[in-house]
Amino acid sequence: MFTHKPTLTGERVILRPVTVDDVPGLAAMLADPEGGRLTGTHATFTDDQLRAWYATRGEQCDRLDLAVIDRGTGSYAGEVVLNDLDETNLACGFRISLGPAARGRGLGTEATRLVVGYAIEEVGLHRVELEVYAFNPRAQAVYERVGFVREGVRRDALRWDGEWIDAITMSILSTEWPR
């Protein structure tokens, strides 16, 4: 379902297929401790691992990996991903990660709207779902503004700095998407 890798353009961001040229931006984003906390990422990656990963994203038909480009600066701001495709049930997962310079400027909200709109309107998916950690109320508010609905809580889903953190599950259905 994700054989076509689109470029989506908004007022603040351009979403385009990731390439190995984006690895420096990705590496900087992954090196940010706050970004790691917000996404629950404990792992570290070498530049070679990141290049190998991004080099294969265009070949994947069951996921869509797009770079978030800040239109104001032309720089890599982060990534949005539609993954865990369930073709039978017309559903997929969603995740977003932004670097420090991109946070708090509306780029994530617009990127989320663009990619969810693409998933529902162009691909024809019925459900897009996500998880967000309880210590990230800013992201929860963004998802709610876009139209995601809180479904439940996965208790103690993440161990971070010796503490257990809940993961909040949210989704948006095609019937809820404002066209």
Side-chain angles (χ1 to χ4, degrees):
M1 293 189 99
F2 295 127
T3 53
H4 174 65
K5 308 297 183 187
T7 296
L8 308 173
T9 303
E11 292 180 20
R12 298 174 184 215
V13 298
I14 296 171
L15 307 181
R16 60 151 176 78
V18 296
T19 70
V20 292
D21 293 337
D22 295 318
V23 166
L26 175 63
M29 185 177 70
L30 291 172
D32 171 45
E34 180 65 1
R37 186 179 79 83
L38 294 174
T39 60
T41 304
H42 289 289
T44 58
F45 305 93
T46 67
D47 282 356
D48 287 341
Q49 289 171 315
L50 297 177
R51 272 192 287 285
W53 177 256
Y54 266 11
T56 62
R57 299 304 85 202
E59 304 163 11
Q60 309 302 312
C61 297
D62 63 343
R63 60 183 291 136
L64 178 63
D65 297 75
L66 300 175
V68 178
I69 305 301
D70 181 338
R71 285 190 70 180
T73 64
S75 62
Y76 178 96
E79 68 176 12
V80 292
V81 177
L82 297 174
N83 59 5
D84 297 329
L85 178 64
D86 178 348
E87 287 189 60
T88 303
N89 293 305
L90 299 175
C92 75
F94 167 75
R95 69 176 173 78
I96 184 170
S97 182
L98 297 175
R103 294 186 203 127
R105 300 178 38 223
L107 304 182
T109 301
E110 185 175 78
T112 301
R113 276 195 184 106
L114 285 170
V115 78
V116 170
Y118 175 78
I120 291 172
E121 295 174 18
E122 303 298 324
V123 179
L125 295 180
H126 175 65
R127 175 184 169 87
V128 179
E129 60 191 27
L130 62 83
E131 285 187 352
V132 59
Y133 294 111
F135 55 42
N136 195 350
R138 185 176 63 208
Q140 292 171 50
V142 166
Y143 301 141
E144 288 171 353
R145 273 196 305 278
V146 171
F148 281 85
V149 175
R150 183 180 169 134
E151 294 183 321
V153 176
R154 290 183 53 236
R155 299 175 308 139
D156 290 355
L158 173 71
R159 187 158 171 82
W160 194 266
D161 285 340
E163 293 184 42
W164 289 106
I165 309 300
D166 293 344
I168 297 161
T169 59
M170 303 178 82
S171 72
I172 186 167
L173 306 177
S174 61
T175 54
E176 300 164 336
W177 182 248
R179 294 183 186 265

